Structure formats: structure tokens, C-alpha cells
Amino acid sequence: MNILHIMVGGPESELPDLSVYDASVPWIGVDRGAIGLTERGIIPIIAMGDFDSLSKTELEHLKTITEVTEFPAEKDETDTAIGLKWALNQKPDLIRIFGATGGRLDHLLANIMMLMQPEFLDVISKIELIDRYNYIKMYTPGEYSVSKIQDKKYAAFITMANVTKLTLKGFKYPLIEANYPFGAALSSNEFLAERGTFSFQTGLILFIQSND
């Protein structure tokens, strides 16, 4: 499987243990996330962003060790969206994004809402957002089988649009063809075994596995 990892500049305290991921997977550094990688001994294949959170010295050093693409601070797209577009152009099977969920609430919302943009909807099945406490993935209508992440106790289904005929099987709180408006938070559910299935006919679902 062709995988890419993206590191965004969120708080270090919110990052998971990166050592559990395949060290051969290439990394993309977005803004200060590129420095976070180098501090861990990881050289990204490319660094991109407006780099407004880096000092001049940090940016100059970054340019000596990897390819750097700079963008103006005043732009229509977020640095994360720019990094995600670049990653998608490489035609990977899976993209994991780290450092995109902690810290500023506007950054968190922007990164989640980013997945709902038309240009990403067709490929959101390839995109995962991961932090120390959460695994996040957006789903379009269909039927899905999902595996329990061993250190995550809870499963949540957040409706990001009006959802119809939502069915949950293999979870503590099952459902059969239930309808929910945008913004319904079906939280604190749990897997009954190692796998569960869910399906829905219309709308968008933000699926989250989490621990306290």
C-alpha cells in the first residue's frame, strides 16, 4: 500500500506515539510541522506552507535539508489543505494527517470542514486524522466495515449533513435505518467485538474512535 504521512504544526502534546508507524512511509511537513519532524530525526520529502510560525533561522536550515515550497501568509487555502492537495497528487492509497486537531479551535474546525470541500469528497476514504486521543475519518453514503483500534474505547458517529437510514451493527448501541439532522452527535458508543459495520443512504458521517 502506498501511504503518505502529513505533519501539521499542532501542539506536540497532542501527537500520538509515531514510533508505532512504519518508518519507511514518507512524510510531508506543513508549516511548523516540518520542524517538528526534524526534531524527531525525520526529514520530510517536502515542506510547504507560509512558515509564519518559523524563525528565519529555522526556515533557512529547513531549506538546506529538504525541498521547501513557500506560500504567502495571505491566501485562500490553509497550509493543511495545500499539503493535502500535494499529497493527493502523488496518488497514494492512504494519507494520515497528524498535528491537525489540537490547539486552536479554529484550526481544528478548518481541518475537519476541509474534508467536506467538493474537491476532497471523492477521496476522503483515503484520509485519516490522528492525534493522541482520536482517530477521525469522514464517510460518504455507503456500507462500511471498520476495525476497533485497540487503545480506543469509544466510537462516535457525527452527522455532518442530514443523514438517512443510518444502520449500526456490532456496536453496543445499534441502529436500524435511523434518520438524523446535521449536527447530531451519536457519541460514547462501543464496539462489541473487533469489527463493526455501518451504512447510510444520504449525508456525511464523521466517524471517531477515541479514548479519555
Side-chain angles (χ1 to χ4, degrees):
M1 179 181 286
N2 182 17
I3 302 173
L4 285 173
H5 288 167
I6 300 175
M7 178 63 75
V8 185
E12 295 281 327
S13 61
E14 301 301 305
L15 294 177
D17 179 6
L18 300 183
S19 68
V20 302
Y21 297 96
D22 184 351
S24 67
V25 172
W27 284 87
I28 301 162
V30 172
D31 201 68
R32 186 150 198 91
I35 295 297
L37 289 174
T38 62
E39 290 174 346
R40 287 174 166 77
I42 301 171
I43 305 300
I45 57 174
I46 188 171
M48 52 185 56
D50 55 33
F51 299 107
D52 58 354
S53 61
L54 273 65
S55 69
K56 183 177 179 180
T57 300
E58 287 175 323
L59 181 56
E60 290 306 313
H61 173 66
L62 196 59
K63 290 178 179 179
T64 67
I65 59 176
T66 190
E67 178 183 349
V68 173
T69 302
E70 295 183 68
F71 293 86
E74 296 181 359
K75 57 187 182 303
D76 294 331
E77 296 179 303
T78 65
D79 287 338
T80 305
I82 289 171
L84 178 56
K85 282 185 177 181
W86 188 93
L88 287 168
N89 284 335
Q90 313 314 305
K91 308 298 182 184
D93 301 305
L94 175 65
I95 298 171
R96 298 186 180 114
I97 305 177
F98 301 84
T101 58
R104 286 174 51 177
L105 186 58
D106 59 331
H107 286 174
L108 167 63
L109 291 174
N111 289 329
I112 289 176
M113 301 302 285
M114 170 187 69
L115 301 179
M116 300 172 63
Q117 296 177 13
E119 61 191 310
F120 297 133
L121 274 180
D122 289 342
V123 292
I124 56 173
S125 62
K126 297 182 176 183
I127 304 167
E128 302 173 347
L129 274 63
I130 301 171
D131 66 24
R132 181 179 176 183
Y133 303 102
N134 305 282
Y135 166 93
I136 302 169
K137 192 168 184 177
M138 190 87 73
Y139 287 88
T140 53
E143 183 173 353
Y144 303 94
S145 177
V146 289
S147 298
K148 182 183 186 303
I149 299 173
Q150 291 306 311
D151 67 339
K152 303 290 186 287
K153 179 179 180 180
Y154 302 108
F157 299 84
I158 314 298
T159 60
M160 304 303 291
N162 294 336
V163 167
T164 60
K165 296 190 175 181
L166 175 61
T167 296
L168 308 180
K169 297 180 181 179
F171 294 93
K172 184 177 181 180
Y173 305 110
L175 284 174
I176 298 178
E177 295 191 348
N179 300 328
Y180 290 93
F182 165 70
L186 311 180
S187 302
S188 297
N189 210 331
E190 299 178 31
F191 284 82
L192 292 178
E194 296 305 306
R195 297 189 69 82
T197 63
F198 68 94
S199 62
F200 58 108
Q201 190 171 87
T202 63
L204 285 171
I205 292 284
L206 191 68
F207 175 61
I208 304 173
Q209 293 193 55
S210 59
N211 56 357
D212 291 323

